[in-house]
Amino acid sequence: MTDNFKTLQAFVDRGLAEPFIRSIRFPRFKNLFPGSVIEFTYPITALIGPNGTNKSTILRALQGSPRGHDIGDHWFDTPLDPIGPERSDPHRFIHSYRAPSGATAEVIQARVGKTTRGPDYFETSAPRRRDGMSAMPEPAHPEDAGVRNKTRWRPIAKEVVYLDFRQEIPAYDILMYFNWRKKKNEPEQKKRKIRTRAPHVNQALSGLQSKHELYRANRILEPADELTSDELRGVSLILGRDYTSIRIVKHDFFDVEGYTASLSADGLKYSEAYAGSGEFAAIMLVRAISRAQPRSLILLDEPETSLHPGAQRELMAFIASECVRNKHQVVLATHAPAIVVDLPSEARKLLDLDPVSGRVRVAAQSATADQSFSRIGGRFQARTILVEDELARAFVLRACRLRGDDFLKSVSILPVAGGAEALVRRVVAVQAPLGADCIVLFDGDCRLPTPLRASSEVTDTQLQAELDPMGLTSDVLLRNGGNGDQTEHLARVRRNALEWVLTHVDYLPGTGNPEALLLGALGISDLSNAEAKETWRSRTRSSLNLLESEVETSAQILDEQIRTLAGLNDAEPVLVEILETLDRVMAKAGMAGSVEGARSS
């Protein structure tokens, strides 16, 4: 993670990004599951999910949240797509932010139907208790006078920049690749028009004109301008070329509205007609973001479009630098791993379709990059082993080192924030339907008192009872789906989960937590989990000679444990048992080839 990404981590907690949208909630909105919520705890947030998971819908709701904006401008009733009557239960969403007094302001915006402002207008209202909103604090705090009245909070005050990169098409492409009714659409006719009108576009760009008449009409829709040196530097870093000049103008010289860019790079001068689509998209993004007002809400729909992975990563580095410089809040929808690889886990929000109801759910508010893209069909890198915490990872890593460098390179050991519950909810419940390549090692204290039975021994009616003890309850596995009339489908989902757990899930040795397991290797046994944790606190304090007034940190305790692990004999039985467990579960999961190959080396 670069310095700018690290710097941004403190922005929200320290209030440097205010005003900042803290969350958006959907009591009822399009195909989102009722009550879905997205939490914003980092200045850049990535929405990740398969096609059809309403990522653009969420971006549009965010666009309609700040003062002066209305989502009804982008989502409205038509005979082809009727929204339908909704007086008692309107489509609505709620955004929250921190008021100047420190209170949490919640603003509901609901579609009101036919009004003097049109049939699709969304308006605010007093807090709706049935949607879980808090009553307005009374008496009103003087600091909040500008953001509330007696009955409701006002929407957040924030400029909005929305960029959909599938629609960032230059004027040349609009004319050449789209047909227009009653227009001359043959290629030769279009080429003739471009040849005839191009001199006028060139004059507009060369002279940085704000007005240029053709056939008695001004054809310049936005004054021509030139990118600044900082903007040129941003484009150059993203695309890996040395741009010395970029000029751009919005016009309708070609009888279509669009932008034309004139570029100078690496000794060449050319227009967007000869530039790649990714090149033009990067220029438009850099220009829009660098010119956004400070503390803007910037919404990006698939910014990776037409950019190679290296350029995608540089693009995110540029966005992070602009967020540091101008305190922006950025939310983006993406399918590209390179876009989110440098973001912290809490910046990645996972969306998925409920397998039963067909509605979109927020599957996780925080996820590693591997977890994120396994959800949309990507695969984990190497042979991924997911564990509960950093000490469990250190244990598995210490054991894997016994097999040598080749074996160590063949595995990827990842801790999942949140422990066993997060492993069940974010990994097992998600990866089982995907048939993912990863394996999961729970701590020994999660070991089931009675092992799971083979799938062939369990009837459909017994499946859920078999899964419940390990935390794969119906609401976790089916994500609250199910309407009682899809018995066969529900049984298939549960059976797939059982079969995946039987082949991809195992446990660290023993029946305690890793702290107790490590103490056992030192000959200190029969300690409860709590006693083991307290023992490591004491050992750390003694090792560091801490004074009574000093408090040991979790990082110091982990360092003490890792040093102890490193000192274990290579023949230590617990390390051998971990390797035997890996062999067993990888063989069941179909990964034995990589294990045997690495071991024999």
Side-chain angles (χ1 to χ4, degrees), residues 35-355:
S36 295
V37 61
I38 303 283
E39 298 167 355
F40 302 102
T41 56
Y42 186 78
I44 304 172
T45 301
L47 307 177
I48 305 164
N51 292 328
T53 49
N54 282 195
K55 298 184 292 297
S56 297
T57 291
I58 295 170
L59 291 182
R60 288 297 185 187
L62 286 165
Q63 182 185 20
S65 294
R67 238 174 268 180
H69 295 268
D70 181 12
I71 194 175
D73 293 337
H74 306 283
W75 182 48
F76 46 87
D77 183 274
T78 72
L80 187 61
D81 294 297
I83 296 177
E86 49 182 353
R87 288 186 179 181
S88 62
D89 189 25
H91 287 272
R92 59 199 182 275
F93 54 93
I94 303 164
H95 75 272
S96 71
Y97 62 94
R98 180 181 294 169
S101 67
T104 297
E106 291 184 305
V107 183
I108 186 166
Q109 286 157 295
R111 185 175 183 271
V112 296
K114 295 181 179 180
T115 69
T116 57
R117 304 188 67 168
D120 303 293
Y121 181 62
F122 278 71
E123 70 176 10
T124 61
S125 67
R128 289 170 58 118
R129 302 302 293 272
R130 61 177 173 173
D131 285 334
M133 298 178 69
S134 301
M136 296 295 293
E138 296 295 346
H141 196 286
E143 289 186 62
D144 295 337
V147 299
R148 63 163 289 173
N149 58 30
K150 185 173 178 58
T151 63
R152 70 197 70 182
W153 295 103
R154 293 191 176 98
I156 193 169
K158 210 166 178 65
E159 291 298 319
V160 180
V161 176
Y162 191 108
L163 293 174
D164 184 343
F165 290 88
R166 294 161 298 185
Q167 297 176 2
E168 290 297 327
I169 304 172
Y172 174 90
D173 288 353
I174 294 173
L175 175 63
M176 289 299 297
Y177 302 121
F178 292 88
N179 289 330
W180 306 92
R181 187 170 182 263
K182 298 183 179 179
K183 295 287 185 181
K184 296 177 179 179
N185 288 310
E186 293 300 319
E188 285 300 323
Q189 296 169 325
K190 292 182 175 183
K191 287 161 60 177
R192 189 179 306 115
K193 175 174 286 189
I194 289 174
R195 288 192 182 101
T196 302
R197 307 286 180 89
H200 298 277
V201 181
N202 187 48
Q203 290 176 36
L205 288 166
S206 299
L208 294 178
Q209 296 177 341
S210 59
K211 183 177 181 180
H212 188 112
E213 289 195 2
L214 180 66
Y215 300 126
R216 299 181 181 180
N218 178 30
R219 296 301 187 122
I220 296 180
L221 306 178
E222 290 178 8
D225 74 296
E226 188 166 16
L227 269 62
T228 67
S229 58
D230 287 340
E231 292 167 345
L232 285 175
R233 190 177 304 112
V235 176
S236 297
L237 287 173
I238 293 168
L239 298 174
R241 300 190 67 182
D242 184 17
Y243 291 89
T244 55
S245 174
I246 299 176
R247 294 186 174 194
I248 193 162
V249 63
K250 186 176 184 181
H251 63 90
D252 65 356
F253 286 110
F254 302 151
D255 294 331
V256 297
E257 293 188 8
Y259 288 92
T260 290
S262 173
L263 301 84
S264 297
D266 301 328
L268 300 174
K269 185 175 181 179
Y270 53 97
S271 78
E272 92 285 351
Y274 289 89
S277 56
E279 195 170 7
F280 183 80
I283 291 168
M284 298 301 290
L285 182 142
V286 168
R287 181 174 179 267
I289 293 181
S290 65
R291 300 182 185 193
Q293 293 187 21
R295 305 178 190 278
S296 289
L297 173 63
I298 297 175
L299 306 170
L300 309 176
D301 203 342
E302 299 187 16
E304 68 269 17
T305 301
S306 300
L307 294 176
H308 64 273
Q312 293 169 8
R313 199 164 181 180
E314 291 292 346
L315 171 62
M316 291 304 295
F318 168 78
I319 290 172
S321 68
E322 288 298 299
C323 286
V324 169
R325 184 170 72 93
N326 280 320
K327 313 299 186 292
H328 296 313
Q329 180 175 8
V330 175
V331 184
L332 58 92
T334 184
H335 294 129
I339 287 289
V340 302
V341 67
D342 291 314
L343 294 176
S345 294
E346 64 268 24
R348 305 184 187 102
K349 312 298 178 180
L350 305 190
L351 305 171
D352 200 5
L353 284 170
D354 186 277

Side-chain angles (χ1 to χ4, degrees), residues 435-448:
D437 289 346
C438 65
I439 65 172
V440 175
L441 291 185
F442 286 99
D443 292 349
D445 57 358
C446 291
R447 192 182 303 273
L448 299 177

